[in-house]
Amino acid sequence: MRNRGPFQRAGGGTSLKEEKIKELIAQMTLEEKASLCSGGDFWHTKGIERLGIAPSMVSDGPHGLRKQDQEADHLGVNESIKAVCFPAGCATAASFNRELLEEMGEILGNECQAEGVSVILGPAVNIKRSPLCGRNFEYYSEDPLLATEMAGALIKGVQSKNVGTSIKHFLANNQETRRMSSSSNIDERTLREIYLAAFEGAVCKQKPWTVMCSYNKINGVYAAENKTYLTDVLRKEWGFDGYVVSDWGAVNSRVEDLAAGLDLEMPSSNGENDQLIVTAVKEGRLSEEILDQAVARILNIVFRFAENRDKTAVFDRDADHEAARKIAEETIVLLKNDGVLPLDESEKIAFIGKYAKKPRYQGGGSSHINSHKVTSVMDAAAANPNIIFAQGFDDEKDEINETLVKEAVEAAREAKAAVIFAGLPDAFESEGFDRTHMRIPDCQNALIDEILKVQENVIVVLHNGSPVEMPWADKVKGIVEAYLSGQAVGAAEYDILFGRVNPSAKLPETFPVKLEDNPSYLFFPGEGNSVDYREGVFVGYRYYDKKKMEVLFPFGHGLSYTEFTYSNLRADRQKLKDTDTLTVSVDITNTGKRPGKEIVQLYVRDKESSVLRPEKELRDFAKIALLPGETKTVSFTLGKRAFAYYNTEIHDWYVESGEFDILIGKSSRDIVLCQTVMVESTTQIKRTYDGDSIYEDIYKDPAARAVVERFRKKQSTQMENQEKKEPEKSSAAKEAITEEMELAMMKYMPLRGMLSFDKGSHKELEAILKELNSL
């Protein structure tokens, strides 16, 4: 049994740690309390030596440990320690593998213990709203469920080692342009269904130790001082109990920020903002209770790490490099294969492109890892005498180097197949700026065109953090999306290209044909300090699938060297209430000749809705390994949220009674099985009617319909009696006003129309409205 820490009580009640924290706070001066609410430097919280409170270190690291021991800075100008760069978020999301992310988190947590880092700053879960966001390589997906599930798995792994995480950037930080001043203007439903949802599952289920607030404003209010999200949603709704830390430099009004729920300011303000807190408390503008609460939250995390420090932990960089390789194998997506892959190691193969020798495997900015070693695909091919190499291009400038192109063409001409390692250079995507287009460098496109003239078996391997246009997609025989898959990317690429490993990743985002197809295109990155999210909930595949728009590669797409068949979809009930759960099962069979892993995707479609909803939405997924001929059953459990949309009338999740399709697919565009279930809502929304309420809406409520029909029946009888006395209508009149027209006009007529068409009176209208609104 592990020994208890100095502040842990064996029994129930208030823990000794909480009591100790209260005692410590009671002994602090006002100035000392305020000082704990900002960093001691760039990477450490402050300590109070006289009370035995030591500084605690945090470090960047969504996909590796970027620890700076000496003179520190935010963007990594000064050297960080040698570490291991794992695949970035753009790549790990493609694995659709929760267990893999948890294992990666455990490794990162162990590295933190070995290096004395209490909190690692990640994961980053911001939605990929536009392909142009410069920081997309850190982010997981355009889909909030996939993003929050991947983030939750990483958090679970890291925190299993008693190291904290800092899920970021909260909230609606989806571009680098004007990121410290721009306001993300988003309606309530879109915030709930897309941007908050990316955080919600991970926060509620895995309880990250900290949350990092973003630079931007949300609907005109800075994230750092946004009480609605930092306190009302994050703490009161979701039960978050750690501390909220600012992104580095995100504090704009320290006292208001603290009152809103921002506990820790990073980095140090050199005492300037600490003094503002002291003054505000002395002047009665800030409750000292709020300050005490923030200090308690910070100390709770500081002590949690200190109590559970594992000084026996070892940072084995070589072992972790091999782990990075295994992870990378599940992050590389086979997008296209016209029978050219896998390659044969006994054949002469040309590896062309700078990234074959010097791969682009990570993004620029605060997450940039000082890798202890890097394995390129040429390193991995060192023992294969049949591989020939030609550089093909430089990526310092987007210029065609005729000499390099000529060498590449000759190498391709001699080979059985040519593999071109292309993608985005560091200058094209990084923290700090957004991309201006969706193309890879023109010199690389030109190189691919030249190779195609002499070689029919061309495979393109891409290194990039988000979608790119592919003008050559129909001409090449194979396309491999390697994303930014970490320092062991070359070994993983080699094994997949030659069939040692069966590719099993799928796209966590849609690749549109061109940039202009993206739903945010007209509104990204906004005007001045304002960006309107006018596409609403129609982000990524939700938009493309609703419009039935042609895409280059759909969300969830990815190929394998084996084949999988889906069968026997069944649900444990055909009718359910929204308070029930639905269990769905499906059988998956490997009908090919190779072992492989398949990602099974479950989408839900509301067959008829009174509000605009996507064509389908991802509601769960699973990844399974199958031997040739093997069949496994995959089961999913769906609750209310699987069928609900966020209703802004009641400010809550709401399921409309009706039929829903349970869709099982290989991608959002490859749905192979469907079953319909009936879901009954248990939430009654109080309707308010007025003279502008139309008959179609009124008739949706049987009770309301009965009230109106009673009146209309009375009026109809009177009108029929009157018509008997009038001469019969001419044939021309009958043609002008058809029965269909009368029904349509009735459907959309407001209740006040009874005054004009049903010969009603104001008194009768008032009586009907009174009865309707009393239902």
Side-chain angles (χ1 to χ4, degrees):
M1 183 177 176
R2 202 167 70 80
N3 292 330
R4 294 190 298 274
F7 302 142
Q8 293 177 314
R9 172 175 286 177
T14 303
S15 70
L16 288 175
K17 182 171 72 172
E18 290 175 2
E19 292 176 2
K20 179 67 174 180
I21 288 173
K22 287 181 180 179
E23 291 173 8
L24 288 172
I25 292 173
Q27 297 174 57
M28 292 178 192
T29 65
L30 179 58
E31 288 73 15
E32 285 173 330
K33 293 178 187 178
S35 74
L36 289 179
C37 291
S38 66
D41 54 30
F42 259 82
W43 301 115
H44 293 85
T45 62
K46 282 184 185 150
I48 301 176
E49 190 175 354
R50 74 179 186 87
L51 295 177
I53 300 171
S56 188
M57 186 175 194
V58 302
S59 177
D60 272 318
H63 51 265
L65 191 58
R66 195 179 76 89
K67 176 187 175 184
Q68 291 178 280
D69 263 342
Q70 304 303 316
E71 184 180 347
D73 69 291
H74 178 39
L75 293 178
V77 176
N78 297 318
E79 192 82 345
S80 57
I81 66 167
K82 290 288 185 180
V84 176
C85 180
F86 292 89
C90 61
T92 54
S95 75
F96 280 74
N97 189 333
R98 297 174 180 88
E99 291 74 22
L100 188 75
L101 268 288
E102 187 176 342
E103 291 169 11
M104 176 174 154
E106 290 171 358
I107 296 168
L108 288 170
N110 181 74
E111 292 178 358
C112 287
Q113 282 286 3
E115 292 293 331
V117 173
S118 67
V119 174
I120 193 166
L121 303 178
V125 301
N126 297 100
I127 291 293
K128 292 187 173 187
R129 176 181 178 238
S130 167
L132 299 183
C133 176
R135 213 164 175 179
N136 273 347
F137 64 86
E138 283 189 66
Y139 303 151
Y140 289 117
S141 180
E142 66 190 27
D143 182 80
L145 175 74
L146 180 58
T148 206
E149 288 291 304
M150 293 293 98
L154 188 77
I155 290 167
K156 183 179 180 181
V158 172
Q159 295 188 171
S160 72
K161 298 298 182 180
N162 295 304
V163 171
T165 56
S166 192
I167 192 170
K168 62 185 186 180
H169 309 85
F170 192 71
L171 172 69
N173 177 194
N174 308 102
Q175 62 190 61
E176 293 299 281
T177 302
R178 295 175 179 253
R179 66 176 180 171
M180 300 187 79
S181 58
S182 180
S183 175
S184 299
N185 302 322
I186 315 176
D187 67 87
E188 181 185 8
R189 180 183 164 203
T190 300
L191 268 169
R192 287 286 185 169
E193 292 191 18
I194 305 295
Y195 299 96
L196 280 166
F199 290 87
E200 183 179 4
V203 171
C204 293
K205 294 177 185 177
Q206 304 303 340
K207 304 292 183 185
W209 289 13
T210 79
V211 169
M212 182 189 292
C213 85
S214 56
Y215 291 120
N216 56 287
K217 298 175 184 177
I218 302 107
N219 294 323
V221 180
Y222 277 109
E225 61 176 292
N226 206 311
K227 184 176 181 293
T228 297
Y229 301 111
L230 295 187
T231 296
D232 297 343
V233 173
L234 188 60
R235 295 192 184 281
K236 294 180 181 178
E237 285 189 34
W238 296 353
F240 173 66
D241 60 1
Y243 67 70
V244 175
V245 58
S246 71
D247 201 345
W248 268 232
V251 164
N252 57 290
S253 182
R254 188 63 188 106
V255 174
E256 287 77 4
D257 294 352
L258 186 61
L262 177 68
D263 304 301
L264 177 62
E265 173 190 10
M266 289 297 286
S268 171
S269 65
N270 299 313
E272 290 290 323
N273 285 334
D274 301 346
Q275 186 55 50
L276 293 177
I277 294 172
V278 171
T279 301
V281 172
K282 288 181 176 178
E283 293 178 354
R285 292 183 288 109
L286 178 70
S287 167
E288 191 165 359
E289 203 172 292
I290 290 175
L291 176 59
D292 289 353
Q293 187 178 54
V295 172
R297 290 167 179 161
I298 294 166
L299 291 182
N300 177 56
I301 299 304
V302 169
F303 288 146
R304 191 182 299 179
F305 176 70
E307 290 170 14
N308 295 285
R309 181 68 200 281
D310 181 4
K311 295 186 178 180
T312 66
V314 175
F315 189 169
D316 187 335
R317 289 163 174 79
D318 287 336
D320 292 356
H321 177 86
E322 286 306 307
R325 171 183 176 168
K326 297 300 292 182
I327 294 167
E329 289 172 353
E330 289 204 40
T331 67
I332 296 173
V333 188
L334 179 58
L335 294 178
K336 179 179 181 179
N337 184 19
D338 287 351
V340 71
L341 293 171
L343 299 170
D344 187 337
E345 289 187 89
S346 66
E347 302 277 6
K348 182 179 283 189
I349 307 295
F351 280 3
I352 296 169
K354 180 176 180 178
Y355 301 146
K357 272 196 173 179
K358 189 177 180 182
R360 181 161 184 267
Y361 62 91
Q362 65 173 325
S366 60
S367 67
H368 194 87
I369 306 302
N370 183 11
S371 300
H372 91 291
K373 69 177 176 181
V374 178
T375 301
S376 72
V377 74
M378 286 303 296
D379 293 330
N384 186 342
N386 297 312
I387 301 297
I388 54 177
F389 170 76
Q391 181 174 324
F393 65 86
D394 275 319
D395 65 353
E396 287 79 12
K397 292 182 180 180
D398 187 4
E399 295 178 351
I400 296 174
N401 184 314
E402 298 291 354
T403 301
L404 294 180
V405 171
K406 184 178 179 181
E407 291 173 355
V409 168
E410 289 307 311
R413 195 194 309 272
E414 297 174 18
K416 176 71 173 178
V419 185
I420 304 171
F421 295 84
L424 298 175
D426 286 327
F428 274 49
E429 59 177 352
S430 170
E431 178 179 358
F433 61 87
D434 293 319
R435 294 159 66 191
T436 57
H437 57 76
M438 213 174 75
R439 302 185 303 275
I440 64 173
D442 293 336
C443 66
Q444 294 184 25
N445 284 327
L447 173 67
I448 294 169
D449 287 340
E450 291 301 311
I451 300 299
L452 282 164
K453 292 176 182 178
V454 300
Q455 176 57 252
E456 63 176 0
N457 296 316
V458 175
I459 301 106
V460 176
V461 178
L462 290 166
H463 304 76
N464 47 292
S466 59
V468 295
E469 295 172 6
M470 303 181 202
W472 31 259
D474 291 337
K475 302 173 187 175
V476 301
K477 286 194 174 179
I479 304 174
V480 176
E481 176 56 78
Y483 276 117
L484 303 181
S485 285
Q487 67 181 52
V489 61
E493 287 174 337
Y494 187 90
D495 287 348
I496 284 175
L497 288 169
F498 288 95
R500 295 179 179 180
V501 170
N502 195 346
S504 63
K506 298 197 176 189
L507 289 179
E509 58 195 325
T510 307
F511 276 47
V513 175
K514 58 185 184 299
L515 174 62
E516 290 81 2
D517 293 340
N518 180 261
S520 73
Y521 174 72
L522 293 176
F523 322 118
F524 181 96
E527 298 175 329
N529 282 329
S530 182
V531 53
D532 297 333
Y533 287 48
R534 297 188 197 178
E535 68 278 4
V537 300
F538 294 96
V539 178
Y541 72 88
R542 286 168 166 80
Y543 173 80
Y544 300 114
D545 289 359
K546 187 76 170 181
K547 290 198 71 176
K548 296 179 172 58
M549 179 182 286
E550 180 187 357
V551 297
L552 190 59
F553 296 106
F555 175 88
H557 169 75
L559 305 176
S560 170
Y561 294 150
T562 190
E563 296 292 332
F564 300 97
T565 59
Y566 292 48
S567 62
N568 197 22
L569 173 62
R570 60 246 186 228
D572 67 344
R573 60 183 77 190
Q574 302 305 309
K575 294 183 179 180
L576 64 149
K577 294 183 178 180
D578 61 9
T579 50
D580 298 328
T581 57
L582 179 73
T583 299
V584 178
S585 300
V586 61
D587 295 340
I588 315 297
T589 303
N590 182 347
T591 55
K593 298 179 180 179
R594 292 171 177 262
K597 295 180 180 179
E598 175 67 337
I599 296 162
V600 186
Q601 301 160 48
L602 186 152
Y603 299 84
V604 172
R605 173 169 58 211
D606 188 348
K607 296 189 73 171
E608 185 178 349
S609 175
S610 64
V611 299
L612 284 173
R613 298 193 68 176
E615 165 72 14
K616 67 181 80 70
E617 296 177 276
L618 184 71
R619 293 312 195 198
D620 208 345
F621 58 89
K623 190 168 191 176
I624 56 169
L626 292 167
L627 296 172
E630 184 178 11
T631 298
K632 287 184 179 178
T633 298
V634 179
S635 294
F636 303 99
T637 301
L638 305 178
K640 177 179 179 178
R641 284 286 288 272
F643 307 99
Y645 71 90
Y646 192 83
N647 187 303
T648 55
E649 289 183 46
I650 61 175
H651 305 289
D652 201 356
W653 297 93
Y654 177 67
V655 178
E656 279 190 308
S657 294
E659 290 184 327
F660 291 81
D661 285 337
I662 308 300
L663 307 171
I664 302 295
K666 298 181 179 182
S667 77
S668 76
R669 292 287 176 94
D670 188 5
I671 302 300
V672 293
L673 296 171
C674 173
Q675 183 164 342
T676 303
V677 297
M678 174 67 74
V679 184
E680 179 186 345
S681 177
T682 59
T683 301
Q684 296 296 319
I685 298 178
K686 172 67 176 175
R687 303 293 183 189
T688 301
Y689 300 98
D690 58 29
D692 288 331
S693 299
I694 66 172
Y695 281 90
E696 181 183 44
D697 293 340
I698 295 169
Y699 278 19
K700 289 176 182 176
D701 181 348
R705 177 173 184 151
V707 172
V708 175
E709 283 291 300
R710 192 171 66 246
F711 164 78
R712 295 202 75 246
K713 185 176 181 181
K714 172 187 170 186
Q715 294 303 101
S716 177
T717 301
Q718 294 176 358
M719 291 174 72
E720 285 175 5
N721 293 335
Q722 178 65 29
E723 286 174 358
K724 288 178 182 178
K725 301 175 183 178
E726 296 176 355
E728 188 175 347
K729 293 178 182 178
S730 69
S731 59
K734 290 179 180 179
E735 289 175 3
I737 304 176
T738 64
E739 184 178 350
E740 288 79 13
M741 175 185 169
E742 285 189 294
L743 289 172
M745 289 177 65
M746 178 66 193
K747 185 178 180 181
Y748 302 125
M749 185 183 295
L751 199 58
R752 56 179 165 75
M754 69 168 58
L755 300 175
S756 302
F757 300 101
D758 283 337
K759 301 187 183 302
S761 65
H762 285 288
K763 186 176 180 180
E764 286 173 318
L765 176 59
E766 290 172 4
I768 291 171
L769 287 172
K770 183 177 181 180
E771 188 173 353
L772 287 174
N773 288 317
S774 66
L775 293 175

